[in-house]
Amino acid sequence: MEEEEKFDVIIVGAGPAGSACAYVLAKAGKNVLVIERGDAAGSKNVSGGRLYTYALELVEPGLCTEAMLERKVVREQIMLLTEKTGITIDCFDAEADLAGGEAQSYTVLRSSFDEWFAGKAEEQGAMIAAGILVDGLIIEAGKVVGVRAGEDEMYADLVIAADGVNSFIAQKAGLKNEWTGHEIGVGVKEIIELPESVIEDRFQLGQGEGAARMLLGNTNGVQGGGFLYTNKNSISLGLVLSPASLAQQDRSIADIYQDFKMHPAIYRAIQGGTTVEYGGHMVPENGWNSVPEKLYRDGLLVVGDAAGLVINTGTIIRGIDLAIVSGVAAARAVLAENAASKIGPEYVNELEKLHVTATMKLFAGWPKITGIERMAAIYPEMANEMMQFMFKVDGTVPEKMPKAMQHIMKKYVSVGQILSDAWKGFRAV
Amino acid sequence: MAGIWIYAEEQSLAKQLLTAGKELAQKINEPVVAIAIQSDMASALAGAGADKVFHLQAKTDWVENYEKPIAALLQKEEPSVVLIGGSLRGKALAAALAADMQTGLVNSALTLSYSDGAIETSRIMYGGLAVCTEVLSQGCVVTIESHVFEEAQTGQAPGEIAAMEVSLESKVELIRVDPIVHQGEDLQAASTVICVGRGLNGQEDMKLAESLAQKTHGVVGCTRSIAEDYHWLPTEAYIGLSGQKVKPDLYISMGVSGQVQHVAGIRDAKIIVAIDTNENAPIFSAADYGIVGDLHEVVPALIASIVK
Amino acid sequence: MNIIACYKWVLDEQDIKITTGSLALDTSRAKGKISEYDKNAIEEAVLQAAKSGAEVSTLTFGTGKAKASLKDALSRGPEKAYWVNDEKASTADGYVTANVLAAAIRKIGSADLLLFGEGSSDVYGQQVGPRVAALLEVPAITFVSKFEIQGDKVVATRTLGDSIEQVAVKLPAVLTLLPEINKPRIPSLKQVIGAAKKPMQEFKVADLDLPAAAVEPKTKVKSLLGFVMKRKNQIYKLDTVEASVQALVAGLAKDGVL
């Protein structure tokens, strides 16, 4: 007689949200199953990327010391590009630490980080089944009671959708519709291998230190931007662009990326490197306004990218940390609440207690700023031309600075346009 | 004294082993001794340079049954090295012998040399990605596949033939044997090979390859999937690590991406030419010349410009 | 009746890179996997067991890293997984591996049928199966493309280079299998979960009563370098296909091959 196996919680997806949730639940003695469609945790995941460490410390203090992290970020940079020139603002702080002394953020490589994190959840007693695709939910009398994978059905008191930006589970549960082209970004990313010392020399870093850079401009006028992160012995370089904006011109993101990569300033940073990975992924780009109205239904919670919990302000990109915190929130809700029907509301409560909701709401307007059309090319070009003027010496008598600046500005924008953009920005924050 | 011992169940391969053995014998100054289980093989090897041949005589012909008598003979004579023909049966026999003799075995050796007092072999590993050079202890077994060495020539002072009756035990019942009829032309003998891969749109594209082969007096071969998945050519036409390894003067590929397993089968070609639409295809880094383009345009143009 | 399928935990050759210059192999990104043809052996053991009501176990000889293979192997259907865990596996040649596996099989007690892949995807030494048979003094049938268990006999089809044979042998016996024998199924969710609960037994080489000489390799690797062909790498990229082709033909004529 086959006994029907039942778990306390089934988590779909072994990314940071899934593993964080599994870790906390398993540690508290719950019978947890995590089902991951990739051959290993992380194999299907892509980030720029960087992890803000407070989130890992929330799962378990001290976890950071063991984690598979790349470099501690000590240089925060913004770069404004034209076709051949660029302005870089570089903020250096070798002691970018949290109150407790832990470094604020590290660059990460998802394949190693996710695999390590899922392994930690396993150590706590969670069961991880990799290489399996969950293709359906089992719903009885309006309640989610389990999942379906091929011919197998598995039951649980609670199912958690941690299956990422394209969450099939959240859609099946009726909590989410398919994203529109305005709500997501499409990203490409390349990992370029370079020796540790070369990276440290080129980016002026000490051993173990890293740089994180956001880039605007040189994307053929398409809305979005680029990123560059230094890992231990590789550089992560890529673009995230708006599909809606891409559709208005005729070049593919891959083509735009190739030119972007060959920009003289960028090329010098990656010269001589070997490409070891090239891939793409979607990213939630619309912040709080695209987070599903309800993040739960009877028997199901939605966490991480599946819940759209991503913030992009241009200087700060947060996805992994919010995913982890939401995973912890979900776990805490399960542990606090015995009544099944109360878990959902308790999860929302935990998201508030852990500041996720307030943070998402605070930055709700930012997509309007990153979405300002002139950000993609006009402002970077204008800024570059202004700086070129500031640095130009050719023996002739230059224009008076205020006049020169006015001239330059007029080439690119009208006063009315600048005011309109400024107003958009002001309202957004 | 020790000796370099050789055995292969097929005469041509046995003569190739003789060449390998004689080359090694010059460096370590030991006799080359052959084992044969048929009398015509015994005389052929004696005449082609073997210093001595042991002709094992028994009632059946099933090669695998000779394991125990051969092992007994080798254990008595304590060879410095044993070279066995790397046919499939040969490899199975070699493994059993190595176990009986409690010695090492290197399969599919590409080279056999002597350095710092020890015999060394090189072979391919990781599906064609790497070459491994190993140092052998005394008395190891080495298998060598066909076409790695040239056949030893006859016309030497014949070696001694010693007949030995042996008894075989047969635990395996041989029910039937069906020879495999080899279809298609001999890729091994071809001086020009035209190779097709998955870049072809369909079977009708084979005509392009055949026309090019005709123009160049070449033979058509293919990558593994063309033979084993699509069956557009027989299995014997598949060129690669576990298929045919060819050594033509000219190899021209069309629609072949150039995975390591295929490239391992063409490494000894004199000139490699590749035609493919994908400029990042690995075949181009394995080629002497390449044209990035549509084979439906390039191949007809190539056929037209060959004047002969 | 019991069937043991032996397998090897290898590095995935797709992840191995060749370092430019030194040609040394960079295996830092290579993940481990059960060698491809060994998956066929495990699958065949499970398929045959279903037909004849036999019990299936797996056996492997590896370093500590091979632990990850046990659940993978069990998720494919066998009831139990044995492994010999020893650092010596990292330098073991066919001689050592066969000695260790044969000793482990003796320790396990008995096996009516032992299945091996034709060769491992890393070394492709093609020898461990027949060696183990010789050591255990049971017959070996190699290069099997199909077989059937008929009572206490196995009737097998061997696909050799020049012929196809049908042979029969009384059990116990060793069979080495060709990859065309089956297509391994992908484990389902229940199988993956179930695997964690199945018994796994670990041996150390010291448990196997082997003389010291039996676990010292007979061949030593002197060098392992990436195979990189030095070719001219000349790509013809002229304005028209005709122009490129003509340049190619001229070049080939000069080389004397056309």
Side-chain angles (χ1 to χ4, degrees):
Chain A
M1 226 11 201
E2 230 184 63
E3 60 159 75
E4 257 209 24
E5 173 127 43
K6 192 168 174 234
F7 287 89
D8 293 325
V9 182
I10 291 179
I11 301 175
V12 183
S19 292
C21 188
Y23 184 103
V24 176
L25 286 174
K27 184 166 176 181
K30 291 286 180 184
N31 194 11
V32 182
L33 169 66
V34 184
I35 308 178
E36 163 61 40
R37 71 181 170 109
D39 285 336
S43 60
K44 300 277 181 193
N45 297 336
V46 183
S47 280
R50 135 180 37 207
L51 169 69
Y52 290 99
T53 59
Y54 78 89
L56 218 45
E57 293 296 289
L58 194 64
V59 174
E60 173 98 64
L63 216 46
C64 274
T65 46
E66 308 175 36
M68 287 293 285
L69 305 169
E70 298 294 310
R71 289 178 178 272
K72 164 182 165 168
V73 177
V74 304
R75 284 195 186 279
E76 302 275 7
Q77 303 177 332
I78 298 178
M79 197 171 188
L80 302 172
L81 298 171
T82 67
E83 205 188 314
K84 291 264 182 310
T85 69
I87 300 171
T88 311
I89 300 171
D90 172 58
C91 306
F92 171 80
D93 183 354
E95 276 137 44
D97 297 340
L98 301 174
E102 185 52 67
Q104 176 177 269
S105 69
Y106 284 84
T107 54
V108 288
L109 286 172
R110 292 296 298 275
S111 48
S112 15
F113 176 78
D114 286 21
E115 210 181 341
W116 164 81
F117 201 18
K120 294 305 285 181
E122 234 177 347
E123 268 174 37
Q124 294 298 327
M127 170 166 297
I128 315 257
I132 308 271
L133 175 68
V134 172
D135 47 29
L137 286 173
I138 306 173
I139 301 179
E140 282 169 17
K143 176 171 177 191
V144 174
V145 296
V147 300
R148 198 169 289 118
E151 290 184 2
D152 288 337
E153 292 185 343
M154 203 51 66
Y155 291 86
D157 292 331
L158 180 72
V159 173
I160 297 187
D163 53 335
V165 57
N166 260 326
S167 177
F168 175 75
I169 301 296
Q171 284 183 38
K172 274 269 155 161
L175 296 175
K176 200 169 112 139
N177 293 323
E178 270 192 52
W179 299 104
T180 68
H182 298 276
E183 294 179 294
I184 45 143
V186 55
V188 296
K189 173 190 174 174
E190 195 176 356
I191 300 182
I192 300 161
E193 245 172 29
L194 278 169
E196 271 184 62
S197 55
V198 170
I199 294 177
E200 280 149 21
D201 283 344
R202 288 191 187 168
F203 290 86
Q204 293 173 49
L205 304 165
Q207 211 187 27
E209 292 179 345
R213 183 187 299 180
M214 307 309 306
L215 301 99
L216 268 185
N218 200 32
T219 54
N220 204 34
V222 176
Q223 223 67 31
F227 59 84
L228 185 156
Y229 294 94
T230 56
N231 309 305
K232 281 207 189 103
N233 50 22
S234 63
I235 306 264
S236 294
L237 179 68
L239 289 178
V240 177
L241 301 179
S242 148
S245 182
L246 262 176
Q248 290 176 352
Q249 46 89 62
D250 58 2
R251 302 187 67 206
S252 69
I253 184 171
D255 273 347
I256 296 178
Y257 172 73
Q258 288 305 321
D259 282 345
F260 175 83
K261 175 185 170 185
M262 288 294 126
H263 184 287
I266 295 183
Y267 183 68
R268 279 160 173 70
I270 57 173
Q271 211 168 18
T274 323
T275 301
V276 291
E277 250 177 70
Y278 182 81
H281 214 271
M282 286 183 8
V283 187
E285 283 285 303
N286 207 28
W288 180 245
N289 290 322
S290 283
V291 170
E293 268 194 53
K294 280 193 91 183
L295 288 177
Y296 66 89
R297 60 175 284 180
D298 219 357
L300 179 90
L301 301 178
V302 184
V303 297
D305 269 20
L309 297 173
V310 175
I311 289 172
N312 178 3
T313 69
T315 55
I316 295 173
I317 298 186
R318 295 171 63 175
I320 307 177
D321 64 303
L322 294 173
I324 292 176
V325 177
S326 68
V328 172
R332 288 186 183 181
V334 171
L335 297 173
E337 232 345 295
N338 275 326
S341 57
K342 299 239 182 78
I343 293 184
E346 183 56 27
Y347 168 52
V348 173
N349 198 12
E350 286 289 338
L351 284 176
E352 277 174 23
K353 272 161 70 176
L354 291 170
H355 313 305
V356 174
T357 314
T359 313
M360 291 297 295
K361 283 184 179 164
L362 181 71
F363 291 106
W366 276 84
K368 294 231 161 55
I369 298 183
T370 51
I372 291 175
E373 271 186 46
R374 280 176 272 277
M375 287 295 216
I378 294 188
Y379 287 139
E381 280 167 22
M382 183 173 90
N384 267 270
E385 195 170 331
M386 286 178 167
M387 293 315 292
Q388 276 172 340
F389 171 82
M390 298 292 288
F391 288 110
K392 182 166 183 184
V393 175
D394 62 4
T396 61
V397 179
E399 249 191 300
K400 272 213 175 119
M401 193 178 64
K403 261 234 146 143
M405 288 299 145
Q406 245 186 24
H407 273 156
I408 293 174
M409 253 172 55
K410 279 212 180 105
K411 274 169 71 177
Y412 291 95
V413 283
S414 69
V415 176
Q417 286 169 335
I418 293 210
L419 285 179
S420 149
D421 285 345
W423 178 242
K424 267 195 203 144
F426 177 70
R427 288 197 55 195
V429 304
Chain B
M1 219 191 77
I4 298 165
W5 286 63
I6 70 163
Y7 168 74
E9 82 250 21
E10 194 265 312
Q11 204 177 106
S12 167
L13 182 49
K15 285 188 184 164
Q16 293 168 30
L17 294 182
L18 257 187
T19 304
K22 297 296 273 184
E23 273 177 29
L24 189 58
Q26 285 183 343
K27 299 192 197 130
I28 63 176
N29 198 24
E30 291 187 19
V32 176
V33 183
I35 296 177
I37 60 181
Q38 286 131 342
S39 56
D40 52 345
M41 169 98 80
S43 0
L45 295 182
D51 296 304
K52 184 168 179 180
V53 180
F54 280 90
H55 175 198
L56 302 185
Q57 295 163 327
K59 271 180 264 160
T60 72
D61 251 2
W62 205 59
V63 164
E64 283 82 341
N65 285 333
Y66 282 80
E67 174 207 332
K68 288 279 178 278
I70 294 179
L73 180 57
L74 291 173
Q75 277 170 311
K76 191 167 135 235
E77 301 286 334
E78 293 181 351
S80 296
V81 69
V82 182
L83 307 180
I84 303 219
S87 63
L88 294 182
R89 279 189 221 276
K91 288 181 186 171
L93 177 68
L97 290 175
D100 290 337
M101 292 158 60
Q102 281 284 285
T103 186
L105 165 59
V106 175
N107 260 324
S108 314
L110 292 174
T111 65
L112 192 63
S113 55
Y114 188 70
S115 168
D116 289 330
I119 296 174
E120 287 182 11
T121 53
S122 72
R123 64 188 298 276
I124 297 221
M125 257 185 70
Y126 290 114
L129 189 71
V131 175
C132 179
T133 306
E134 290 170 86
V135 180
L136 275 50
S137 54
Q138 184 79 352
C140 282
V141 182
V142 177
T143 65
I144 298 174
E145 290 177 10
S146 211
H147 297 103
V148 176
F149 286 88
E150 299 286 324
E151 278 187 36
Q153 298 302 310
T154 24
Q156 338 244 349
E160 178 199 336
I161 300 180
M164 263 182 79
E165 267 196 36
V166 293
S167 60
L168 308 177
E169 42 164 69
S170 194
K171 287 193 194 158
V172 176
E173 180 195 339
L174 185 60
I175 299 176
R176 61 183 283 166
V177 182
D178 293 313
I180 293 178
V181 175
H182 285 289
Q183 309 156 315
E185 298 165 68
D186 188 7
L187 279 165
Q188 295 294 335
S191 54
T192 299
V193 169
I194 311 295
C195 187
V196 295
R198 294 173 71 172
L200 265 57
N201 286 345
Q203 196 163 6
E204 56 293 355
D205 286 346
M206 291 294 299
K207 294 199 202 92
L208 283 171
E210 280 150 28
S211 308
L212 183 56
Q214 246 187 14
K215 224 30 193 328
T216 56
H217 307 290
V219 176
V220 179
C222 63
T223 57
R224 189 165 200 167
S225 48
I226 300 292
E228 304 205 347
D229 296 334
Y230 302 150
H231 305 291
W232 296 344
L233 283 176
T235 325
E236 295 80 53
Y238 142 54
I239 299 171
L241 185 68
S242 39
Q244 300 262 27
K245 294 172 192 110
V246 297
K247 294 186 201 197
D249 291 331
L250 175 61
Y251 162 98
I252 303 178
S253 75
M254 55 182 82
V256 171
S257 63
Q259 302 301 324
V260 276
Q261 290 88 347
H262 173 68
V263 170
I266 62 172
R267 29 180 272 166
D268 293 320
K270 185 165 162 218
I271 298 282
I272 295 177
V273 178
I275 301 166
D276 196 71
T277 46
N278 179 7
E279 63 186 302
N280 292 321
I283 190 79
F284 288 113
S285 28
D288 292 293
Y289 305 115
I291 295 187
V292 178
D294 186 347
L295 60 96
H296 302 95
E297 286 176 29
V298 178
V299 177
L302 186 54
I303 293 173
S305 46
I306 295 174
V307 184
K308 239 199 273 187
Chain C
M1 165 150 96
N2 57 17
I3 304 177
I4 298 183
C6 294
Y7 69 86
K8 183 178 181 186
W9 183 244
V10 300
L11 291 177
D12 193 340
E13 66 277 5
Q14 287 193 14
D15 302 330
I16 300 178
K17 304 251 172 327
I18 301 175
T19 316
T20 16
S22 69
L23 294 186
L25 293 187
D26 176 9
T27 56
S28 57
R29 286 172 168 269
K31 293 203 145 74
K33 63 171 182 176
I34 294 180
S35 175
E36 290 313 310
Y37 297 167
D38 294 348
K39 290 179 187 162
N40 297 101
I42 298 174
E43 176 75 4
E44 193 61 26
V46 172
L47 290 172
Q48 293 284 345
K51 278 190 233 163
S52 54
E55 264 191 31
V56 179
S57 329
T58 56
L59 170 63
T60 191
F61 171 41
T63 63
K65 297 206 177 105
K67 182 152 192 224
S69 72
L70 302 175
K71 280 210 283 199
D72 184 350
L74 289 171
S75 73
R76 293 164 187 275
E79 275 92 43
K80 184 167 180 179
Y82 294 96
W83 69 309
V84 181
N85 174 9
D86 202 293
E87 278 315 298
K88 283 195 170 336
S90 58
T91 51
D93 58 1
Y95 162 78
V96 172
T97 304
N99 284 337
V100 170
L101 290 180
I105 292 165
R106 280 188 219 111
K107 185 110 185 157
I108 289 169
S110 70
D112 298 298
L113 185 59
L114 290 157
L115 299 181
F116 291 79
E118 186 215 341
S120 64
S121 56
D122 54 358
V123 177
Y124 202 55
Q126 291 178 297
Q127 55 183 272
V128 173
R131 275 187 182 265
V132 169
L135 292 172
L136 294 176
E137 293 178 337
V138 300
I141 311 287
T142 51
F143 308 109
V144 172
S145 50
K146 197 170 66 165
F147 74 91
E148 226 180 68
I149 301 176
Q150 293 174 359
D152 64 348
K153 264 189 352 179
V154 162
V155 177
T157 304
R158 303 174 71 201
T159 303
L160 303 161
D162 55 355
S163 55
I164 296 187
E165 283 182 358
Q166 236 200 2
V167 297
V169 72
K170 261 180 100 160
L171 297 176
V174 164
L175 265 54
T176 72
L177 309 176
L178 293 172
E180 64 221 50
I181 194 166
N182 61 41
K183 189 160 181 225
R185 293 160 291 178
I186 299 180
S188 74
L189 175 61
K190 287 227 160 91
Q191 288 177 302
V192 171
I193 295 177
K197 305 205 179 80
K198 293 183 185 173
M200 301 177 209
Q201 186 169 354
E202 179 181 334
F203 296 119
K204 292 260 163 237
V205 166
D207 301 330
L208 301 178
D209 301 321
L210 283 165
V215 294
E216 288 308 312
K218 293 288 183 187
T219 62
K220 293 218 160 64
V221 173
K222 183 174 174 184
S223 76
L224 181 57
L225 296 175
F227 169 61
V228 173
M229 281 211 289
K230 288 193 180 59
R231 294 277 172 175
K232 292 183 210 165
N233 297 145
Q234 174 159 14
I235 311 269
Y236 291 107
K237 254 198 223 160
L238 303 172
D239 286 334
T240 61
V241 168
E242 281 70 28
S244 292
V245 166
Q246 270 165 18
L248 170 64
V249 171
L252 293 177
K254 219 166 100 198
D255 285 332
V257 292
L258 199 62

